Amino acid sequence: QVQLVESGGGLVQPGGSLRLSCTASRSIFSINAMGWYRQAPGKQRELVAMFTSGSRTNYADSVKGRFTISRDNAKNTVYLQMNSLNAEDTAVYLCNAVLVRNGVTEYWGQGTQVTVSS
């Protein structure tokens, strides 16, 4: 199992920056994929950025060039640096981890609210 704890959300003005953190309860070396989704009111949950197998990264087109996913293996933590934020980035951001062990199991954090508003 994996427990995920997020932090770093908040209110920011358009054009501003935030950094989200997600700390896992186990070594992230043992996690097959880990990253961030978001869900805005009335919208479906969507992938934002993810580390996949072989440390490759995958970004949503809407955040490419503005968001950067990174990780600190020693701290079992994945970060999401978000720059040039706009109102369309307002959502609950959820950390996601995928374990592949005789099947695929997904784990979710509790979510952290990001609000972009002047």
Side-chain angles (χ1 to χ4, degrees):
Q1 284 193 336
V2 185
Q3 283 77 49
L4 302 170
V5 179
E6 302 122 328
S7 62
L11 173 65
V12 63
Q13 292 187 341
S17 299
L18 281 175
R19 188 178 79 157
L20 306 182
S21 301
C22 175
T23 300
S25 60
R26 62 189 289 168
S27 169
I28 59 177
F29 284 119
S30 67
I31 298 173
N32 297 89
M34 187 168 171
W36 296 91
Y37 283 72
R38 67 186 180 186
Q39 188 161 20
K43 294 187 178 180
Q44 287 191 332
R45 188 172 295 183
E46 63 174 352
L47 173 71
V48 177
M50 182 71 70
F51 280 111
T52 59
S53 60
S55 299
R56 288 174 291 189
T57 56
N58 186 25
Y59 290 93
D61 287 343
S62 60
V63 307
K64 285 180 180 177
R66 300 189 298 123
F67 291 11
T68 302
I69 190 169
S70 63
R71 63 190 188 188
D72 185 332
N73 296 328
K75 296 182 178 179
N76 297 333
T77 298
V78 170
Y79 302 98
L80 183 68
Q81 178 65 44
M82 305 185 294
N83 298 328
S84 302
L85 286 160
N86 57 60
E88 288 69 41
D89 297 314
T90 295
V92 175
Y93 284 70
L94 300 114
C95 185
N96 172 265
V98 179
L99 293 185
V100 181
R101 308 279 190 278
N102 298 319
V104 178
T105 304
E106 285 192 285
Y107 298 89
W108 295 93
Q110 80 282 0
T112 186
Q113 177 70 45
V114 172
T115 302
V116 184
S117 175
S118 56

